[in-house]
Amino acid sequence: MSDLTGEVIDGRYQLLELIASGGMASIYKATDLRLDRHVAVKIMHPHLANDEDFVNRFIREAKATAALSHPNVVSIQDQGWNEGGAPAVFIVMEYIDGFTLRDLLVDHGPLSIDDFLRYMVPVTSALAEAHRLGINHRDLKPENILISKDGRIKIADFGLAQGGVVGNTMTAESSIVLGSVSYLSPEQVQRGISDARSDIYSLGVVFFELLTGEKPYEGESPIQIAYKHVNERIGAPSSRRSGIPEALDKIVMKATSPNPDERQKNGAELLEDLRQLQVTIDPKRKQMSLELDLPLPPSTRKKKRAHAEVRIGNTIVERIKSSTEPIRPDFTKAQPKEEAMSKTDQIRRKTSRRVRRNRILAFLLITLLAVGGWYKLSGPGAGISIPSVAGMSKKDATSTLSALGIKATVGSQNYDPSIPAGEVISSDPGGGGHVKKGGTVSLTISQGQQPVPTPTPTPTPTPTATATATPTPSPISIASYINKSGDQAQSELTAVGLTVKQTFGFSDTVAAGNVMSQNPDGSAPVDAGSTINIVISQGSSLVYIPNIYSLSRSAASTALENLQLKVVIRKIGNGKHVTNVSPKVGTQVKRGSTVVITLG
């Protein structure tokens, strides 16, 4: 999109400079003319503003983040459509003057254990709050973790967020295309489904990268990387870098387990693991975080108190209202020294008893909360944690739940081409939820692909009584799937007993994911068991060089690499931002081409 620097959006936000650009939107530093403060304005690319799905996803980002109130989440301040001037769908966010976690990795390499915990504990705390509200981020990666110049850490970009607060309309295709493949969980790649445990996997991959300085998997294409996440097991960080504690290895290995049931179930559980690690590394950190109204330490100066009196016998020593001066007794009426001292001792003893009483009350409160927490989280009140049974057969799911003392019933049966007939699509409550022992979980069972009517084969003439012949299967009529979904072709052809072989290629006319060519082409029936060869489009082989001027090295590289372009960096002096791009911005080039960016 064209650079909108200088424009005033919605009559209120003056765009000062372009600070980032991605596949969906560009982000500008701006001034809120009404409140006279800096903000960040995220503006959707114009060619997407006419796509209802993209607009809805853009608005969901605003709603998802606005629902969160946490110091480690970038706050949303406004959302709307520009009235007059440049057409724009926009979100206004808190402006963070700083850099991303990706920048930190590029500049400094792997982090020390202390720095790792300093950055990741706040991030995990923010994720725990999102999960508490039923919001899943679904796109956690170093680029979406911001660090301000004063050290504040923020999670940004809930554009792929999903949960009860923002609805659940993402498809398998859109989640895989939009998510960053290096951080996608196996279940997102395979079935396009995700929950809090998918965020745990993504954050576990971030942990691995921060500790080792490397992503767990590399490949020549996103498909190769996705394949490795599904079919391989991420190793321990210590296998690539020495000095990593065994306890931290276990946390990362658990978070990146291919089986969602073996991971921490949500952000709160992962946060507890990190805090236990902190205590293990530094036992001095072990302390109660519960805020209580405990007595303050003694002060060398008298504090302000309202309408308080101290009496010695029948004499008012002083009435304290707003003075901070030391108490000066009024001895206009003489009092025996011994009597005055005795009364003072009594006041001290009363104060001491009050302090002891408060300490006892605080101890009882801590004990009560600890017992209550145990009851709700681990004790009888917690109920039984429901394992994920999605993808299991009805029999296996029922057996798994029965072993835990949970009954399983079939709530509904739905057609689903991506899940074989007889397997579980979902459960209610879902995996990670809780029910009492003897409770019931309702299962939704797949009926597989919805049947497609096929022509009735012409009956074979009945052989004469004198001839003995072996019957042969009737030929199968097939349709042409050109420009139709590759998934539809795979499902329908397989359902009628044919074998499908898929290959991939680029096309400027066929949308990504659709069939480019088919052999046999469907013009004539084929024998049962035949192989149908289809070529799936990966989209256009040509892309346009985006406007990456003024972006940081990491942001510019990411924008180009996401388009499957190779990047060569040239640096002038201590240059940190892009000052030149070759081929120039707007040029159409083939994927895999090399782009040279100059930092000045």
Side-chain angles (χ1 to χ4, degrees), residues 218-229:
E218 297 290 349
E220 295 182 359
S221 70
I223 293 175
Q224 290 179 344
I225 297 173
Y227 179 87
K228 291 180 180 179
H229 277 283

Side-chain angles (χ1 to χ4, degrees), residues 108-407:
H108 298 284
L111 304 185
S112 67
I113 304 303
D114 286 344
D115 283 345
F116 166 83
L117 290 170
R118 181 161 65 91
Y119 289 118
M120 288 299 100
V121 168
V123 167
T124 310
S125 175
L127 188 63
E129 176 62 13
H131 289 170
R132 187 185 69 81
L133 294 175
I135 298 173
N136 304 325
H137 189 285
R138 304 216 309 167
D139 195 24
L140 288 168
K141 55 186 177 182
E143 289 80 0
N144 285 338
I145 298 173
L146 310 182
I147 305 166
S148 69
K149 289 182 178 178
D150 59 6
R152 291 176 298 135
I153 301 165
K154 302 268 187 175
I155 298 182
D157 205 351
F158 276 75
L160 296 184
Q162 173 194 43
V165 175
V166 292
N168 179 3
T169 59
M170 297 295 290
T171 64
E173 291 81 5
S174 61
S175 65
I176 290 174
V177 170
L178 291 173
S180 298
V181 70
S182 292
Y183 306 91
L184 282 180
S185 65
E187 62 269 21
Q188 286 175 285
V189 174
Q190 287 180 299
R191 303 192 298 277
I193 62 173
S194 66
D195 57 19
R197 297 167 300 176
S198 304
D199 280 349
I200 296 300
Y201 184 92
S202 299
L203 194 54
V205 177
V206 173
F207 286 4
F208 183 97
E209 189 173 2
L210 293 180
L211 293 168
T212 65
E214 304 171 347
K215 295 176 182 176
Y217 302 125
E218 297 290 349
E220 295 182 359
S221 70
I223 293 175
Q224 290 179 344
I225 297 173
Y227 179 87
K228 291 180 180 179
H229 277 283
V230 172
N231 295 282
E232 298 180 14
R233 178 69 168 89
I234 294 177
S238 61
S239 65
R240 298 201 191 179
R241 178 189 172 198
S242 61
I244 297 175
E246 182 182 357
L248 183 50
D249 263 347
K250 290 181 178 178
I251 291 174
V252 177
M253 292 287 285
K254 182 177 181 181
T256 56
S257 171
N259 183 351
D261 291 337
E262 294 177 357
R263 301 174 203 153
Q264 295 88 350
K265 65 183 178 182
N266 53 36
E269 195 169 291
L270 180 57
L271 179 61
E272 179 61 25
D273 285 350
L274 291 180
R275 286 177 171 163
Q276 288 295 331
L277 175 66
Q278 286 180 307
V279 173
T280 302
I281 294 174
D282 182 8
K284 293 180 181 178
R285 295 185 63 91
K286 190 173 184 180
Q287 55 183 324
M288 292 299 296
S289 60
L290 181 64
E291 295 181 1
L292 297 172
D293 186 16
L294 298 175
L296 295 173
S299 174
T300 56
R301 301 187 66 191
K302 303 297 181 182
K303 302 297 180 183
K304 296 181 182 180
R305 298 170 60 190
H307 304 290
E309 294 181 356
V310 178
R311 291 177 176 268
I312 301 180
N314 295 321
T315 302
I316 297 178
V317 175
E318 186 177 7
R319 180 183 300 273
I320 305 170
K321 292 183 179 178
S322 61
S323 174
T324 58
E325 297 177 359
I327 295 176
R328 295 187 177 90
D330 181 3
F331 289 109
T332 54
K333 293 184 179 181
Q335 296 291 328
K337 182 177 181 180
E338 293 78 5
E339 182 181 351
M341 292 300 292
S342 176
K343 298 295 184 180
T344 302
D345 288 343
Q346 291 178 17
I347 293 171
R348 288 175 178 169
R349 283 196 294 272
K350 288 179 180 180
T351 301
S352 179
R353 285 196 297 271
R354 185 168 63 253
V355 170
R356 286 197 300 271
R357 180 194 64 197
N358 287 347
R359 287 174 177 168
I360 292 171
L361 289 175
F363 173 77
L364 292 175
L365 178 58
I366 292 171
T367 303
L368 182 61
L369 289 173
V371 171
W374 167 83
Y375 180 84
K376 286 291 185 183
L377 297 176
S378 304
I384 299 173
S385 178
I386 300 171
S388 173
V389 294
M392 292 185 183
S393 67
K394 175 188 172 184
K395 179 180 178 182
D396 289 344
T398 302
S399 176
T400 299
L401 295 172
S402 297
L404 298 174
I406 304 172
K407 299 176 183 176

Side-chain angles (χ1 to χ4, degrees), residues 533-547:
N533 296 285
I534 60 175
V535 180
I536 307 296
S537 171
Q538 292 177 290
S540 173
S541 61
L542 300 175
V543 294
Y544 289 94
I545 303 295
N547 182 2

